Amino acid sequence: VTGSHVLSSSAVATTPAGAHPIVVEQGTLAAANYQFEMKNGVLTIGKAKLTVRADNKDKIYGDANPAFTATISGFMNGEVLSNSGVTGEAFMTTPATALSGVGFYDINAAEGSLVSNNYAFEYEKGTLVVRKATLVVFAEDKNKRYGDANPALTYVFNGFKNGENLAASGVIGEPVINTMATTASNVGEYPITLQAGTLAASNYQFELKNATLIVGKKTLVITADNKSK
């Protein structure tokens, strides 16, 4: 046998996934004792893989989950999502809820309604970061009269999430509250200052708001002395 056969296929890089013939022709094949029968073959083009990665997201403790999105990569032949023939959307889930504490939670991507003739899909997780909510600690404004002892200095919390109150919030410790005013302080305004002190919480950070102690004038009683004549 001399010469060689000729193999060809109409498939190119942009040919869709599927089965395509490989055509064999006699070409220059020759032999004294043989004749030739040509049997075509099949070129199977499998689907290329696209990676669907859940995008990382952030939220504040107590808030609803953000809208989840995914990024698709791996397109062939210079395609992008809009001209790739991919339709539908990935299905995105996470175990995190508004009640989930501060920490890291998986965002899972699954097939959902994604469909493509030329692509298969593989999925990668993203991360949802739940960050601390802010509790505002307000020192309360106070009043007193010159010469009086300072009133009890107090504060209030504002900004609890998920219907919590101080007892149910996991907040421990106390702030430090003080003022430079004393019994001898003159009439005027004096700051009531807050410091974090021993305040701590897994799901909250603290914003401290100062207040004002107003020292008012003390009343002097002037009584005319009784007299006789």
Side-chain angles (χ1 to χ4, degrees), residues 61 133-135 137 155 157 159-161 164-175 196 198-206:
Y61 169 71
T134 298
L135 270 182
V137 188
Y155 53 87
F157 291 91
F160 289 110
K161 297 286 191 172
E164 295 172 348
N165 55 29
L166 181 60
S169 66
V171 174
I172 58 173
E174 294 182 352
T198 58
L199 280 177
S202 297
N203 294 323
Y204 293 98
Q205 61 187 358
F206 303 97

Side-chain angles (χ1 to χ4, degrees), residues 13-45:
T14 56
T15 300
H20 302 271
I22 301 172
V23 177
V24 58
E25 297 175 282
Q26 186 168 337
T28 58
L29 283 175
N33 296 322
Y34 293 97
Q35 62 183 0
F36 304 97
E37 181 182 353
M38 305 299 165
K39 297 281 190 179
N40 292 340
V42 176
L43 173 62
T44 302
I45 301 179

